[in-house]
Amino acid sequence: DQQVKQNSPSLSVQEGRISILNCDYTNSMFDYFLWYKKYPAEGPTFLISISSIKDKNEDGRFTVFLNKSAKHLSLHIVPSQPGDSAVYFCAAREGGSEKLVFGKGTKLTVNP
Amino acid sequence: KAGVTQTPRYLIKTRGQQVTLSCSPISGHRSVSWYQQTPGQGLQFLFEYFSETQRNKGNFPGRFSGRQFSNSRSEMNVSTLELGDSALYLCASSPGGGGYYNEQFFGPGTRLTVL
């Protein structure tokens, strides 16, 4: 049973445009959400996070939105750059636990 | 600060053997978690150690075990290797001291191939 789902395996956008990556979850006990970026043969790199008491968090070009009622979060990258091309993972955590539950990832390609 | 380091980076073993992977967390971090990444299953949580104690465990068979030393370095061991154990094994560290919103920082991983 997949508790964190990223339904789009891939996404292609033009440089300078907005990239929107989506993530849905089923476990209502999740209260902290993180986005990681991963290149092949490397470990995931932390990008941005949001707690369940917020609905938006921004860090430079990256913004994460959380809709608790819909159990949905999204990562917006504006403007997208070719260096953003990577696999993006959504992860969720429950009540102070260190255990992260990951989605299967979305491969983002930003075309010059 | 130096990041999370993992050794070795690549490993080739044959079925039935056992393997030990090592992880050194970021200085000052006391929590170390291990994950397995495979193409079919994605990133899956193996276990987490804090202050030399296993605090959390994922749904993996008992062939997968780990430990943490007093300096927070951690090792994981897989015994009686199976072909399906071929994966990227990732270690992540965090302060872990009860800070509710700690991020986990990952190492580069150990690529294990079982022949």
Side-chain angles (χ1 to χ4, degrees), chain A residues 48-72:
Chain A
I48 192 168
S49 61
I50 188 167
S51 74
S52 58
I53 62 174
K54 295 185 175 182
D55 55 18
K56 178 182 174 181
N57 189 25
E58 283 182 86
D59 185 0
R61 297 186 297 115
F62 301 92
T63 302
V64 57
F65 295 91
L66 175 62
N67 182 332
K68 277 185 66 178
S69 60
K71 293 190 176 69
H72 176 85

Tab-separated table of all heavy atoms in Angstrom, chain A residues 48-72:
chain	number	residue	atom	x	y	z
A	48	ILE	N	13.455	21.352	0.161
A	48	ILE	CA	12.546	22.208	0.902
A	48	ILE	C	11.585	21.328	1.677
A	48	ILE	O	11.347	20.174	1.288
A	48	ILE	CB	11.789	23.159	-0.063
A	48	ILE	CG1	11.056	24.262	0.705
A	48	ILE	CG2	10.857	22.394	-0.988
A	48	ILE	CD1	10.542	25.381	-0.210
A	49	SER	N	11.051	21.855	2.766
A	49	SER	CA	10.108	21.081	3.563
A	49	SER	C	8.950	21.962	4.009
A	49	SER	O	9.001	23.196	3.885
A	49	SER	CB	10.812	20.494	4.790
A	49	SER	OG	11.334	21.529	5.615
A	50	ILE	N	7.917	21.319	4.526
A	50	ILE	CA	6.774	22.044	5.054
A	50	ILE	C	6.130	21.218	6.155
A	50	ILE	O	6.016	19.989	6.034
A	50	ILE	CB	5.769	22.380	3.930
A	50	ILE	CG1	4.670	23.317	4.457
A	50	ILE	CG2	5.165	21.126	3.316
A	50	ILE	CD1	3.833	23.948	3.344
A	51	SER	N	5.732	21.876	7.214
A	51	SER	CA	5.012	21.183	8.273
A	51	SER	C	3.521	21.320	8.033
A	51	SER	O	3.065	22.201	7.293
A	51	SER	CB	5.370	21.764	9.637
A	51	SER	OG	4.766	23.023	9.810
A	52	SER	N	2.763	20.473	8.672
A	52	SER	CA	1.318	20.431	8.417
A	52	SER	C	0.576	21.648	8.971
A	52	SER	O	-0.606	21.830	8.683
A	52	SER	CB	0.723	19.155	9.000
A	52	SER	OG	0.971	19.090	10.387
A	53	ILE	N	1.273	22.473	9.747
A	53	ILE	CA	0.597	23.669	10.275
A	53	ILE	C	0.676	24.829	9.287
A	53	ILE	O	0.086	25.885	9.510
A	53	ILE	CB	1.185	24.093	11.640
A	53	ILE	CG1	2.666	24.460	11.512
A	53	ILE	CG2	0.974	23.001	12.668
A	53	ILE	CD1	3.246	25.031	12.795
A	54	LYS	N	1.406	24.628	8.192
A	54	LYS	CA	1.515	25.658	7.171
A	54	LYS	C	0.865	25.182	5.882
A	54	LYS	O	0.638	23.987	5.687
A	54	LYS	CB	2.986	25.989	6.915
A	54	LYS	CG	3.713	26.602	8.093
A	54	LYS	CD	5.123	26.988	7.676
A	54	LYS	CE	5.835	27.723	8.810
A	54	LYS	NZ	7.205	28.146	8.390
A	55	ASP	N	0.599	26.131	4.977
A	55	ASP	CA	0.115	25.723	3.663
A	55	ASP	C	1.057	26.148	2.542
A	55	ASP	O	0.850	25.788	1.383
A	55	ASP	CB	-1.307	26.249	3.409
A	55	ASP	CG	-1.415	27.760	3.584
A	55	ASP	OD1	-0.364	28.439	3.560
A	55	ASP	OD2	-2.539	28.253	3.753
A	56	LYS	N	2.113	26.849	2.903
A	56	LYS	CA	3.059	27.302	1.880
A	56	LYS	C	4.413	27.548	2.530
A	56	LYS	O	4.501	28.071	3.645
A	56	LYS	CB	2.528	28.590	1.239
A	56	LYS	CG	3.430	29.208	0.189
A	56	LYS	CD	2.806	30.506	-0.325
A	56	LYS	CE	3.738	31.245	-1.265
A	56	LYS	NZ	3.135	32.513	-1.741
A	57	ASN	N	5.467	27.192	1.784
A	57	ASN	CA	6.819	27.522	2.222
A	57	ASN	C	7.656	27.822	0.991
A	57	ASN	O	7.588	27.093	0.005
A	57	ASN	CB	7.439	26.355	3.020
A	57	ASN	CG	8.746	26.747	3.673
A	57	ASN	OD1	8.990	27.918	3.942
A	57	ASN	ND2	9.605	25.781	3.919
A	58	GLU	N	8.408	28.916	1.059
A	58	GLU	CA	9.208	29.352	-0.091
A	58	GLU	C	10.680	29.369	0.243
A	58	GLU	O	11.078	29.728	1.355
A	58	GLU	CB	8.827	30.799	-0.486
A	58	GLU	CG	7.561	30.955	-1.236
A	58	GLU	CD	7.332	32.426	-1.615
A	58	GLU	OE1	7.848	32.853	-2.654
A	58	GLU	OE2	6.651	33.114	-0.847
A	59	ASP	N	11.502	29.029	-0.754
A	59	ASP	CA	12.943	29.149	-0.600
A	59	ASP	C	13.513	29.426	-1.991
A	59	ASP	O	13.702	28.507	-2.789
A	59	ASP	CB	13.547	27.876	-0.018
A	59	ASP	CG	15.032	28.018	0.258
A	59	ASP	OD1	15.604	29.097	-0.004
A	59	ASP	OD2	15.640	27.039	0.745
A	60	GLY	N	13.727	30.692	-2.271
A	60	GLY	CA	14.260	31.065	-3.580
A	60	GLY	C	13.298	30.696	-4.697
A	60	GLY	O	12.139	31.099	-4.691
A	61	ARG	N	13.789	29.907	-5.638
A	61	ARG	CA	12.937	29.523	-6.777
A	61	ARG	C	11.959	28.394	-6.435
A	61	ARG	O	11.128	28.023	-7.267
A	61	ARG	CB	13.828	29.074	-7.942
A	61	ARG	CG	14.745	30.148	-8.493
A	61	ARG	CD	15.497	29.674	-9.747
A	61	ARG	NE	16.383	28.549	-9.455
A	61	ARG	CZ	16.216	27.329	-9.961
A	61	ARG	NH1	15.207	27.070	-10.760
A	61	ARG	NH2	17.096	26.374	-9.659
A	62	PHE	N	12.059	27.838	-5.255
A	62	PHE	CA	11.267	26.672	-4.875
A	62	PHE	C	10.176	27.062	-3.883
A	62	PHE	O	10.441	27.741	-2.889
A	62	PHE	CB	12.159	25.597	-4.254
A	62	PHE	CG	13.263	25.123	-5.156
A	62	PHE	CD1	14.517	25.722	-5.127
A	62	PHE	CD2	13.042	24.102	-6.055
A	62	PHE	CE1	15.530	25.296	-5.971
A	62	PHE	CE2	14.056	23.663	-6.898
A	62	PHE	CZ	15.297	24.259	-6.852
A	63	THR	N	8.954	26.624	-4.182
A	63	THR	CA	7.831	26.838	-3.271
A	63	THR	C	7.077	25.530	-3.132
A	63	THR	O	6.809	24.863	-4.139
A	63	THR	CB	6.868	27.916	-3.807
A	63	THR	OG1	7.585	29.132	-4.008
A	63	THR	CG2	5.737	28.177	-2.802
A	64	VAL	N	6.756	25.169	-1.913
A	64	VAL	CA	5.945	23.978	-1.682
A	64	VAL	C	4.602	24.419	-1.117
A	64	VAL	O	4.532	25.281	-0.246
A	64	VAL	CB	6.658	22.960	-0.755
A	64	VAL	CG1	7.029	23.568	0.578
A	64	VAL	CG2	5.808	21.720	-0.558
A	65	PHE	N	3.544	23.833	-1.662
A	65	PHE	CA	2.182	24.096	-1.210
A	65	PHE	C	1.612	22.814	-0.619
A	65	PHE	O	1.809	21.731	-1.166
A	65	PHE	CB	1.305	24.540	-2.392
A	65	PHE	CG	1.710	25.842	-3.006
A	65	PHE	CD1	2.605	25.876	-4.074
A	65	PHE	CD2	1.209	27.043	-2.520
A	65	PHE	CE1	2.988	27.077	-4.653
A	65	PHE	CE2	1.580	28.252	-3.098
A	65	PHE	CZ	2.479	28.266	-4.161
A	66	LEU	N	0.891	22.968	0.482
A	66	LEU	CA	0.264	21.820	1.135
A	66	LEU	C	-1.226	22.055	1.268
A	66	LEU	O	-1.663	23.077	1.812
A	66	LEU	CB	0.873	21.579	2.519
A	66	LEU	CG	0.233	20.477	3.369
A	66	LEU	CD1	0.364	19.115	2.685
A	66	LEU	CD2	0.841	20.447	4.764
A	67	ASN	N	-2.009	21.105	0.782
A	67	ASN	CA	-3.466	21.135	0.931
A	67	ASN	C	-3.836	19.923	1.776
A	67	ASN	O	-3.963	18.809	1.273
A	67	ASN	CB	-4.143	21.077	-0.438
A	67	ASN	CG	-5.655	21.160	-0.349
A	67	ASN	OD1	-6.252	20.765	0.650
A	67	ASN	ND2	-6.275	21.679	-1.381
A	68	LYS	N	-4.002	20.157	3.080
A	68	LYS	CA	-4.241	19.044	3.995
A	68	LYS	C	-5.571	18.352	3.739
A	68	LYS	O	-5.670	17.132	3.850
A	68	LYS	CB	-4.191	19.542	5.441
A	68	LYS	CG	-2.798	19.649	6.023
A	68	LYS	CD	-2.851	20.034	7.480
A	68	LYS	CE	-3.476	18.950	8.327
A	68	LYS	NZ	-3.476	19.327	9.773
A	69	SER	N	-6.577	19.119	3.410
A	69	SER	CA	-7.893	18.506	3.215
A	69	SER	C	-7.872	17.559	2.025
A	69	SER	O	-8.545	16.529	2.029
A	69	SER	CB	-8.973	19.575	3.044
A	69	SER	OG	-8.684	20.386	1.928
A	70	ALA	N	-7.089	17.900	1.019
A	70	ALA	CA	-6.985	17.046	-0.168
A	70	ALA	C	-5.843	16.041	-0.045
A	70	ALA	O	-5.663	15.203	-0.933
A	70	ALA	CB	-6.779	17.902	-1.414
A	71	LYS	N	-5.070	16.137	1.015
A	71	LYS	CA	-3.871	15.303	1.198
A	71	LYS	C	-2.985	15.394	-0.045
A	71	LYS	O	-2.615	14.374	-0.659
A	71	LYS	CB	-4.245	13.853	1.498
A	71	LYS	CG	-4.938	13.644	2.844
A	71	LYS	CD	-5.043	12.160	3.176
A	71	LYS	CE	-5.641	11.936	4.535
A	71	LYS	NZ	-7.061	12.303	4.606
A	72	HIS	N	-2.666	16.611	-0.397
A	72	HIS	CA	-1.933	16.875	-1.635
A	72	HIS	C	-0.893	17.956	-1.394
A	72	HIS	O	-1.158	18.943	-0.706
A	72	HIS	CB	-2.913	17.342	-2.725
A	72	HIS	CG	-2.239	17.718	-4.006
A	72	HIS	ND1	-1.908	16.792	-4.973
A	72	HIS	CD2	-1.823	18.915	-4.478
A	72	HIS	CE1	-1.318	17.409	-5.988
A	72	HIS	NE2	-1.265	18.696	-5.714
